[in-house]
Amino acid sequence: MTIKALRDQSLPMRHIVHVRNHIISSDGSVEEGGNDAGPSPHDLYDAALSACKALTVVWYAKRKNIPLEHVEVSMERDASEERQGVYRLHATLHVTGDLSETQRAELLAAAQKCPVHKLMTSVTTEVTTVLG
């Protein structure tokens, strides 16, 4: 899969990200010199984890016939030590439905095993950057 980020000429930092048939605007905050015309790359990184946890919980609930009605993931970022090599994300899972404590625990366990969580914490990611 190829993902492209193309600069929007109308704003100094904004890029339009193309993922298959989807378009996402990304920009820096005003403090970073952008116009805040979209989420920053850090926001998108954090959002990927939130979305993966939510989708994993829905998938798991459907697979196990758990009566999940609603799922929401709130993500808090602490990037205060990022330059020292520590980037902290705190996810809070909000679920509703006629759920037993056992089912709630199962959903939490499923969220902790989402593929993006594993990718962020258990895998070595190699990135190669070249000029085209």
Side-chain angles (χ1 to χ4, degrees):
M1 171 173 33
T2 300
I3 297 173
K4 293 183 180 183
L6 306 170
R7 183 160 179 257
D8 176 352
Q9 298 297 322
S10 66
L11 296 172
M13 290 181 62
R14 181 176 159 184
H15 280 69
I16 305 302
V17 181
H18 297 260
V19 182
R20 294 186 312 279
N21 294 323
H22 310 284
I23 297 173
I24 304 163
S25 175
S26 183
D27 195 5
S29 67
V30 173
E31 298 80 25
E32 297 168 322
N35 286 32
D36 199 24
S40 73
H42 276 81
D43 295 336
L44 294 171
Y45 181 83
D46 302 352
L49 180 60
S50 297
C52 186
K53 287 182 177 296
L55 291 169
T56 298
V57 166
V58 169
W59 172 84
Y60 183 87
K62 284 183 178 184
R63 189 169 160 248
K64 297 290 186 173
N65 293 316
I66 295 174
L68 177 67
E69 291 176 7
H70 179 76
V71 60
E72 180 179 312
V73 178
S74 300
M75 189 68 63
E76 291 183 36
R77 168 194 316 152
D78 177 358
S80 63
E81 296 180 37
E82 181 179 1
R83 291 183 184 242
Q84 291 78 37
V86 179
Y87 186 77
R88 292 182 179 90
L89 294 173
H90 177 80
T92 302
L93 186 65
H94 307 273
V95 294
T96 61
D98 187 19
L99 306 168
S100 69
E101 285 305 312
T102 300
Q103 290 169 327
R104 291 173 58 80
E106 283 183 67
L107 295 175
L108 177 60
Q112 292 171 331
K113 294 177 184 173
C114 84
V116 172
H117 184 134
K118 288 181 183 179
L119 187 63
M120 289 177 169
T121 60
S122 303
V123 179
T124 298
T125 301
E126 297 179 4
V127 178
T128 304
T129 306
V130 298
L131 289 174

